[in-house]
Amino acid sequence: MRRILPFLEWITDYNKSWFSKDLIAGLTVGIILIPQGMAYAMIAGLPPVYGLYASLVPMIVYAFFGTSRQLAVGPVAMDSLLLAAGLGTLAITSTDDYIAMALLLAFSVGAVQLTLGVLRMGFLVNFLSKPVISGFTSAAALIIMFSQLKHLLGVDITRSNRFDVLIMNAFERIPDTNLYDFAIGLVGIIIIVALKKFDKRIPGILFVVILGVLVVYFLNLAVFGVNIVGEIPTGLPSFQLPQFKIDTIIELAPIAVTLALIGYLEAISIGKSMEEQTGEDTIDANKELIALGSSNMLGSLFQSYVVTGSFSRSAINGQAGAKTPMALIFSAIAVAITLLFLTPLFYYLPNAVLASIIMVSVFGLIDVAYPKSLWEYRKDELFVLITTFLITLFAGISEGILAGVLLSLLLMVYKSSKPHFAVLGKIEGSDYYKNVDRFGENVLVRDDLLIVRFDSQLYFGNKNFFKKQLLKNVAAKGGKLKGVILNAEAISYIDSSAAQMLIRVIDELHQKGLQFYISGATGPTRDTIFSSGIIEVLHKQYLFVQTKEAVDYFDNMTPLSVLSSQVAHQSRRDRN
């Protein structure tokens, strides 16, 4: 049962002293989540109340199925933007249809995550490399920030998922700016930033929300065209099945898969970082997929759009002392109380205040430190990051992710097709054999023996490179060369194409009067050597555990024994 319901791991050992800590952390996160959830719903193009719906059932479900003790799930800016970008490409004519599609998308995302979790395919997220995520996240943060200009300026600006179009559309509407909206939003940004720098424990977001409501109400700013949230439906979300249509599901499939993987990556990354701070080790990658999938699927039945882990709220949860996912239950209770009794208090909440919350929240997603570090030591990965960043900004969200993943895979294939190939020599006064180019004068190099190391798996993509480098170094040795040793310590895999190449190379070296040795092969590599036919041309006596053993064997062989061995190889080839 504990494998199916992870909450049994902590609830059976629940310490009474944890209750107060979970209660305080849960209420703190809940207070922050209420205005933040409403703001993120606006990014997704949904009415603000759907941010509260997304902060209710999914958190309760995750508390039972999640394996992280401090992760706070709910609506987040990134997934909200991706949802808006995905649905923006479809021909949706009404608000009701848009909401229905958003709920169906949340169910689809959950179904993908749940399926991947059951099939234990969490490793797929590894294809989203750090440079891709950094470039995409920074670009998306800018798009999110500038998408809020319509609320900050108090004008209607045509929506777009392209940064340049957003800027142009906003620039055209600057003359129509509502100065009251602009002033409220700007003051909101200043207050949140100032309070965060002064003392992070002060809930600046909540303070700005309360101040914004009071200012608009008592100064009657709605008369001056200040855009407010208006009436928010009172009551808990009702059970509602998504509108399942095969054609619609097929249309949503690409964005559903993208959201599923990115949402999982966000959650698992945040959860792991929280574990590093607490010293705990409870997260199970595949169970997290099941937890997130269940949260999205069950949440969508109660009018929740897509959710995942939130970095800012998880950090607050941890800092407030949360010990278990019970804190999420308390956060959900705070949201439920708000939906039941407090929604009228948000009637006069200015949209510009929600815009200021969003802008400050996503600004921290812009990553500058990581590109700087890549500039120092990995310019190839910096290229992937910048390309992903620019394509996301100026072509689109989905295009940026796809281009980044493809570039990462191409870079990986290119690197693996030309891996490190080293010529080894013996370190003076030791039995160690190291790279000649790295250790220079301290390495003894022999004219009669070539020792090489190939630092990669050997497969169809790099077999020709291996052969070219090996034969080039054989030719460079000249007529004094008598033997070649391949140090296979770094070769973890040999495919069928590479095995056939190796057989031909060994035969070719035998024809030149050279003996071939393999040393340091791991268990799986030795299995391949025996199963692929390599051992038939190599023979067991030329397979060694250490390079030193192969060198000693070579030194003990007489010229006559070498000649006899090669004659035997030749007669064996003739029989074949």
Side-chain angles (χ1 to χ4, degrees):
M1 287 299 294
R2 291 189 178 193
R3 289 167 56 188
I4 300 171
L5 297 173
F7 82 96
L8 293 176
E9 291 284 347
W10 56 266
I11 201 168
T12 52
D13 300 321
Y14 196 82
N15 192 318
K16 291 181 179 179
S17 64
W18 295 350
F19 183 83
S20 60
K21 294 180 180 180
D22 284 341
L23 176 63
I24 293 171
L27 293 179
T28 302
V29 171
I31 290 170
I32 299 297
L33 176 56
I34 291 165
Q36 206 173 55
M38 294 167 64
Y40 291 157
M42 289 170 55
I43 297 176
L46 296 166
V49 71
Y50 283 87
L52 300 181
Y53 294 161
S55 307
L56 193 59
V57 173
M59 284 201 296
I60 297 173
V61 174
Y62 183 84
F64 287 97
F65 290 96
T67 58
S68 172
R69 300 293 172 89
Q70 282 82 32
L71 184 67
V73 299
V76 298
M78 186 69 67
D79 285 28
S80 299
L81 176 65
L82 284 170
L83 183 147
L87 297 186
T89 60
L90 307 179
I92 302 176
T93 55
S94 68
T95 302
D96 289 341
D97 288 341
Y98 187 91
I99 293 171
M101 293 289 277
L103 301 183
L104 178 58
L105 181 58
F107 186 91
S108 303
V109 168
V112 171
Q113 290 172 332
L114 185 62
T115 303
L116 292 177
V118 171
L119 297 177
R120 304 185 67 82
M121 298 181 69
F123 68 91
L124 287 175
V125 77
N126 294 330
F127 288 102
L128 292 169
S129 65
K130 174 69 173 175
V132 172
I133 294 300
S134 178
F136 163 74
T137 303
S138 297
L142 285 174
I143 293 173
I144 292 171
M145 289 176 67
F146 280 87
S147 70
Q148 297 306 300
L149 284 178
K150 64 179 181 180
H151 301 298
L152 192 67
L153 301 178
V155 295
D156 185 21
I157 298 175
T158 305
R159 291 175 55 182
S160 176
N161 294 313
R162 287 174 48 189
F163 182 74
D164 54 327
V165 175
L166 271 175
I167 294 296
M168 290 176 60
N169 291 345
F171 186 77
E172 291 175 355
R173 298 304 306 274
I174 286 178
D176 302 323
T177 298
N178 185 315
L179 295 180
Y180 293 97
D181 274 315
F182 182 72
I184 291 171
L186 189 60
V187 170
I189 292 173
I190 293 171
I191 291 175
I192 295 173
V193 172
L195 290 178
K196 186 180 293 187
K197 288 187 176 181
F198 179 72
D199 189 342
K200 290 184 178 180
R201 293 173 297 180
I202 299 176
I205 291 175
L206 181 62
F207 180 79
V208 167
V209 168
I210 295 173
L211 182 63
V213 170
L214 293 176
V215 167
V216 171
Y217 177 76
F218 285 106
L219 298 182
N220 198 22
L221 294 182
V223 176
F224 298 96
V226 170
N227 294 281
I228 57 176
V229 169
E231 185 176 355
I232 299 175
T234 299
L236 300 178
S238 59
F239 178 83
Q240 179 179 320
L241 283 173
Q243 299 177 9
F244 295 103
K245 294 180 181 178
I246 298 299
D247 293 343
T248 305
I249 292 174
I250 293 173
E251 270 188 308
L252 293 176
I255 189 63
V257 173
T258 302
L259 269 167
L261 290 177
I262 289 181
Y264 170 65
L265 178 65
E266 287 178 286
I268 203 75
S269 300
I270 296 165
K272 288 292 185 183
S273 67
M274 298 300 293
E275 276 192 343
E276 290 176 4
Q277 296 174 17
T278 61
E280 295 179 333
D281 188 16
T282 61
I283 291 181
D284 182 298
N286 290 303
K287 287 182 182 177
E288 278 299 291
L289 270 171
I290 293 173
L292 286 173
S294 302
S295 298
N296 277 308
M297 288 183 72
L298 294 175
S300 69
L301 301 179
F302 293 89
Q303 303 184 57
S304 164
Y305 75 97
V306 66
V307 299
T308 188
S310 164
F311 181 80
S312 60
R313 294 195 300 273
S314 297
I316 293 170
N317 201 33
Q319 291 167 6
K323 293 296 182 181
T324 70
M326 182 67 77
L328 296 182
I329 304 293
F330 294 128
S331 296
I333 291 173
V335 174
I337 292 172
T338 300
L339 282 168
L340 288 171
F341 307 109
L342 304 179
T343 52
L345 298 178
F346 294 99
Y347 182 90
Y348 289 100
L349 177 62
N351 286 338
V353 165
L354 294 177
S356 68
I357 294 170
I358 293 170
M359 287 182 162
V360 175
S361 298
V362 302
F363 181 78
L365 297 176
I366 301 174
D367 193 351
V368 178
Y370 186 61
K372 284 183 177 179
S373 66
L374 290 182
W375 174 259
E376 296 295 330
Y377 69 97
R378 289 309 299 263
K379 290 186 173 60
D380 52 351
E381 293 190 23
L382 178 63
F383 174 75
V384 173
L385 187 152
I386 292 174
T387 303
T388 304
F389 176 79
L390 293 176
I391 292 177
T392 302
L393 270 187
F394 299 110
I397 305 291
S398 302
E399 290 84 352
I401 297 173
L402 181 61
V405 170
L406 289 177
L407 272 176
S408 293
L409 293 176
L410 286 173
L411 180 62
M412 181 188 70
V413 170
Y414 175 77
K415 290 290 185 182
S416 68
S417 69
K418 293 185 177 182
H420 186 239
F421 189 98
V423 176
L424 307 183
K426 184 179 180 181
I427 299 289
E428 291 184 283
S430 74
D431 293 327
Y432 297 108
Y433 289 82
K434 298 294 182 180
N435 189 343
V436 171
D437 293 333
R438 284 186 180 272
F439 290 84
E441 297 177 356
N442 297 322
V443 175
L444 298 175
V445 182
R446 296 172 53 166
D447 293 331
D448 61 340
L449 184 62
L450 173 65
I451 308 173
V452 297
R453 189 183 71 227
F454 192 66
D455 294 340
S456 174
Q457 60 180 355
L458 195 52
Y459 75 112
F460 67 91
N462 60 25
K463 65 182 180 67
N464 291 332
F465 174 78
F466 171 85
K467 180 179 179 180
K468 181 180 178 181
Q469 292 297 313
L470 179 62
L471 295 181
K472 182 179 76 172
N473 282 281
V474 167
K477 285 285 186 180
K480 294 181 180 181
L481 184 64
K482 299 299 181 185
V484 177
I485 299 175
L486 171 62
N487 182 311
E489 292 175 358
I491 300 177
S492 59
Y493 172 73
I494 302 176
D495 75 353
S496 58
S497 301
Q500 292 302 310
M501 175 276 299
L502 203 53
I503 290 171
R504 291 193 296 271
V505 166
I506 294 173
D507 263 338
E508 186 176 338
L509 293 177
H510 287 162
Q511 291 174 12
K512 292 180 178 180
L514 306 176
Q515 185 54 54
F516 192 81
Y517 308 80
I518 295 180
S519 69
T522 61
T525 304
R526 287 199 304 273
D527 292 342
T528 304
I529 290 172
F530 278 88
S531 63
S532 64
I534 295 175
I535 197 66
E536 295 178 10
V537 293
L538 178 70
H539 293 288
K540 291 182 181 179
Q541 64 266 34
Y542 300 110
L543 188 61
F544 298 91
V545 175
Q546 296 179 346
T547 301
K548 176 183 179 298
E549 295 173 352
V551 174
D552 290 343
Y553 187 87
F554 171 81
D555 288 337
N556 292 330
M557 287 187 67
T558 64
L560 180 60
S561 64
V562 174
L563 179 61
S564 300
S565 173
Q566 287 160 12
V567 169
H569 282 304
Q570 182 63 49
S571 59
R572 208 171 277 108
R573 283 197 306 273
D574 293 342
R575 286 198 302 272
N576 292 336

